Amino acid sequence: MSNPVTVSSLTPTVARRLWLLLLSVVLLGECSTVYYKTM
């Protein structure tokens, strides 16, 4: 029997990597939007 994957079952390093990935995507999206607005 395999348990469903939940946030609490993830290791702290995996959770941290997911948050960093999400944050970097948001920041890159914002930076490109600001860049194109200034151009």
Side-chain angles (χ1 to χ4, degrees):
M1 289 244 174
S2 62
N3 293 332
V5 176
T6 58
V7 176
S8 59
S9 70
L10 293 175
T11 58
T13 52
V14 173
R16 188 174 295 131
R17 285 180 183 174
L18 287 174
W19 277 113
L20 285 174
L21 179 66
L22 182 66
L23 185 65
S24 62
V25 167
V26 170
L27 287 177
L28 286 173
E30 291 297 317
C31 288
S32 65
T33 301
V34 171
Y35 174 76
Y36 287 122
K37 280 185 178 179
T38 56
M39 298 300 278

